[in-house]
Amino acid sequence: MWGALLRRGLSGCGPPSAAPWSQVVSEAEKIVGYPTSFMSLRCLLSDEFSNIAMQVRKLVGTKHPLLDTARGFVYDSRNNLQMRGLVVLLISKAAGPSTAELSFQHDMVSGIYSSQRSLAEITELIHTAFLVHRGIVNIGELKSCDGPLKDMQFGNKMAVLSGDFLLANACTNLAQLQNTKVVELISSAIGDLVQGIYYENSKSSELHSDLQPFVKESSSDVMAFSLNCAPAVLHQEFLGRDAWIKQIREAQGKGNLMDYKKLQEAIKAGKGVTSAIDLCRCHGNRALAALESFPPSEARAALANIVYAMTQFS
């Protein structure tokens, strides 16, 4: 019965009443007994992060993006959901204790080993490092209102060095787990993250942000979107490169300013949006199928609910 429900989940419109994203996350955190905000707190209270914060204070008064990144860690907990660590904890609990390690079950809290909680924190530390790395500005595009050149250059150095330091710290902690398979998997994930960051769309907290400008019934204000977002890339594949370039040029006004509304309408008229939705649901179905390898549990149900919430487009 459970398997049938999972298979049926994304074939149409998903569950009859998919829970709101915030509710899904809140319920998942209760299951693992470990609020994701606690991971942020431990990071913020560490000596390493305190030293970085002291240096970032020198950027106050400028528009360097690293300053906004630092503010986000402290103030914007609502949009700084640490989903990567939460998923690690849920999968750990869904998998259950290892029969080969019964003697270590005293080390478990809420059905999760301490090493698994460490791995959850490591994944978030890696993500934090990449957020810091992302806070680099193109010096050649700076304006006088952005701040003094020397401060902006200092901010770039901080973004590179601080991100490297956090990533190195995460790798050290990863090695201390003494599990070569886990090291291999996380290393592969870091490679995927590096590649994906070049095609990143936005800072949206939606987990399918590429589709938001095309599926949200919003006001007359059109959301700007990346030309590397999934709907645009798939639209180009169906349309052909020459025709796509022509549409871009037609949407460019004076001063090469992009008319996103015009381009958005062109993409929505094609097959790119529906193909992107199908792709998202395809990966969702694959995730649900993978969950069937775990025995039925509240942790597995929470993971399924996360998939449902991520694949709702109405």
Side-chain angles (χ1 to χ4, degrees), residues 21 41 77-78 126 129 137 168-169 195 230 244 276:
W21 178 246
L41 184 61
S77 59
R78 182 175 61 86
I126 291 171
V137 295
N169 193 280
Q195 182 179 8
W244 170 236

Side-chain angles (χ1 to χ4, degrees), residues 29-191:
E29 289 182 332
K30 292 176 183 177
I31 292 171
V32 298
Y34 198 70
T36 54
S37 58
F38 185 58
M39 290 189 229
S40 294
L41 184 61
R42 286 185 60 160
C43 181
L44 289 172
L45 293 179
S46 68
D47 292 337
E48 296 88 351
F49 210 94
S50 297
N51 291 332
I52 293 173
M54 289 295 292
Q55 297 297 322
V56 171
R57 287 180 59 186
K58 298 177 182 179
L59 299 176
V60 173
T62 73
K63 293 184 179 180
H64 199 285
L66 184 58
L67 198 58
D68 288 332
T69 301
R71 288 193 186 111
F73 290 130
V74 180
Y75 300 113
D76 198 10
S77 59
R78 182 175 61 86
N79 290 325
N80 194 27
L81 296 175
Q82 304 209 330
M83 286 306 303
R84 296 148 195 83
L86 180 58
V87 169
V88 169
L89 295 176
L90 286 171
I91 292 176
S92 299
K93 186 160 186 176
S98 170
T99 55
E101 299 179 356
L102 294 177
S103 59
F104 293 98
Q105 290 194 18
H106 67 278
D107 192 34
M108 300 180 75
V109 177
S110 297
I112 301 171
Y113 292 108
S114 61
S115 59
Q116 292 169 328
R117 294 189 184 277
S118 296
L119 179 60
E121 293 180 3
I122 289 168
T123 59
E124 289 301 337
L125 189 57
I126 291 171
H127 177 59
T128 301
F130 277 90
L131 288 180
V132 173
H133 273 156
R134 195 169 58 185
I136 299 176
V137 295
N138 187 338
I139 298 296
E141 296 178 356
L142 291 178
K143 300 176 182 178
S144 58
C145 62
D146 292 328
L149 178 61
K150 63 179 181 63
D151 288 344
M152 303 303 280
Q153 290 174 331
F154 173 77
N156 279 1
K157 291 178 181 178
M158 281 299 302
V160 173
L161 295 175
S162 300
D164 286 351
F165 178 81
L166 293 174
L167 189 58
N169 193 280
C171 291
T172 299
N173 293 339
L174 185 62
Q176 290 175 352
L177 294 179
Q178 298 182 344
N179 188 314
T180 54
K181 183 63 177 177
V182 171
V183 172
E184 179 184 343
L185 288 171
I186 296 299
S187 299
S188 176
I190 291 175

Side-chain angles (χ1 to χ4, degrees), residues 21 83 207-208 280 305-313:
W21 178 246
M83 286 306 303
L207 296 158
H208 43 71
C280 183
N305 287 335
I306 289 174
V307 175
Y308 293 139
M310 290 176 62
T311 52
Q312 298 305 303
F313 302 100

